[in-house]
């Protein structure tokens, strides 16, 4: 979106005569809200192996800390994990808070350079997170394994990176 500002005034070309003067200024509007991951089409969610009927916007229906959030469970009969995508107007340095995130590692996910991470205190055998920036937005994705699953039949980070790769064309670029 661009805004055009017109400033009209008068300039004098001959003493006593005024002619119109127009100045223009173009500014690009910065988005005030992040992309909403719940806009990913159901067909893409199904192709990724997720259950569209479990879609949840926000956490308990609310966005958190300026992030738009959407999540889905994997498809029955599995129901072993919950996959979420977060989008916020933050930079990648958001992950550099040692009170919240640790075990940061550079990875390639689909077509994107990303940072894999763990939430502080999270069990790496059950949960994983990955993040990358797109323009002024930080896009994060997580897998949280269901508490009843003791030994998941997948590596959470491998599964997460596969899901993000499947959905890559639906995520802003």
């Amino acid at each position: 979106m661009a805004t055009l500002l017109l400033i009209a005034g008068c300039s004098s070309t001959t003493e006593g005569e005024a002619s119109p003067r127009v100045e223009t200024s173009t500014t690009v509007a910065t988005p005030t809200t992040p992309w909403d991951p719940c806009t990913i089409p159901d067909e893409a969610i199904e192709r990724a192996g997720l259950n569209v009927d479990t879609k949840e916007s926000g956490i308990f229906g609310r966005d958190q800390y300026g992030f738009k959030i959407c999540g889905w469970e994997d498809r029955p009969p599995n129901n072993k994990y919950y996959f979420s995508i977060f989008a916020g107007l933050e930079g990648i340095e958001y992950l550099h808070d040692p009170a919240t995130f640790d075990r940061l590692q550079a990875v390639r996910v689909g077509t994107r350079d990303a940072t894999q991470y763990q939430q502080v205190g999270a069990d790496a055998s059950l949960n994983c997170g990955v993040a990358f920036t797109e323009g002024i937005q930080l896009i994060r994705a997580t897998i949280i394994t269901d508490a009843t699953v003791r030994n998941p039949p997948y590596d959470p980070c491998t599964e997460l990176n596969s899901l993000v790769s499947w959905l890559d064309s639906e995520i802003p670029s």
Side-chain angles (χ1 to χ4, degrees), residues 46-117:
E46 287 176 344
R47 279 192 310 270
L50 299 168
N51 182 350
V52 296
D53 295 331
T54 62
K55 178 179 179 176
E56 182 180 3
S57 178
I59 296 176
F60 299 112
R62 302 186 108 158
D63 294 331
Q64 301 285 315
Y65 307 108
F67 281 87
K68 291 276 188 191
I69 306 164
C70 201
W72 302 262
E73 292 177 12
D74 60 332
R75 229 180 299 187
N78 294 334
N79 294 81
K80 293 186 178 8
Y81 60 76
Y82 191 74
F83 170 76
S84 298
I85 298 179
F86 301 69
L89 303 177
E90 299 284 348
I92 199 73
E93 60 279 349
Y94 180 85
L95 296 178
H96 295 272
D97 176 1
T100 307
F101 305 104
D102 65 4
R103 297 172 266 173
L104 278 64
Q105 175 183 349
V107 294
R108 183 89 174 154
V109 179
T111 62
R112 302 169 192 265
D113 291 324
T115 301
Q116 194 168 290
Y117 65 89

Side-chain angles (χ1 to χ4, degrees), residues 3-172:
T3 316
L4 185 61
L5 175 66
L6 293 175
I7 302 171
C10 292
S11 65
S12 180
T13 53
T14 313
E15 193 172 322
E17 292 181 30
S19 61
R21 176 180 53 137
V22 176
E23 295 177 16
T24 61
S25 172
T26 303
T27 58
V28 176
T30 302
T32 56
T33 59
W35 164 71
D36 184 354
C38 283
T39 61
I40 297 174
D42 287 349
E43 301 79 38
I45 296 301
E46 287 176 344
R47 279 192 310 270
L50 299 168
N51 182 350
V52 296
D53 295 331
T54 62
K55 178 179 179 176
E56 182 180 3
S57 178
I59 296 176
F60 299 112
R62 302 186 108 158
D63 294 331
Q64 301 285 315
Y65 307 108
F67 281 87
K68 291 276 188 191
I69 306 164
C70 201
W72 302 262
E73 292 177 12
D74 60 332
R75 229 180 299 187
N78 294 334
N79 294 81
K80 293 186 178 8
Y81 60 76
Y82 191 74
F83 170 76
S84 298
I85 298 179
F86 301 69
L89 303 177
E90 299 284 348
I92 199 73
E93 60 279 349
Y94 180 85
L95 296 178
H96 295 272
D97 176 1
T100 307
F101 305 104
D102 65 4
R103 297 172 266 173
L104 278 64
Q105 175 183 349
V107 294
R108 183 89 174 154
V109 179
T111 62
R112 302 169 192 265
D113 291 324
T115 301
Q116 194 168 290
Y117 65 89
Q118 292 291 329
Q119 295 263 337
V120 169
D123 183 341
S125 69
L126 300 174
N127 307 298
C128 190
V130 68
F132 51 87
T133 56
E134 188 52 55
I136 63 166
Q137 296 187 87
L138 178 65
I139 311 287
R140 295 173 38 219
T142 61
I143 274 187
I144 299 174
T145 300
D146 187 277
T148 62
V149 177
R150 298 283 181 241
N151 297 308
Y154 52 85
D155 171 74
C157 290
T158 302
E159 185 75 7
L160 174 62
N161 295 349
S162 176
L163 288 168
V164 173
S165 292
W166 270 99
L167 295 171
D168 188 66
S169 65
E170 303 300 332
I171 298 171

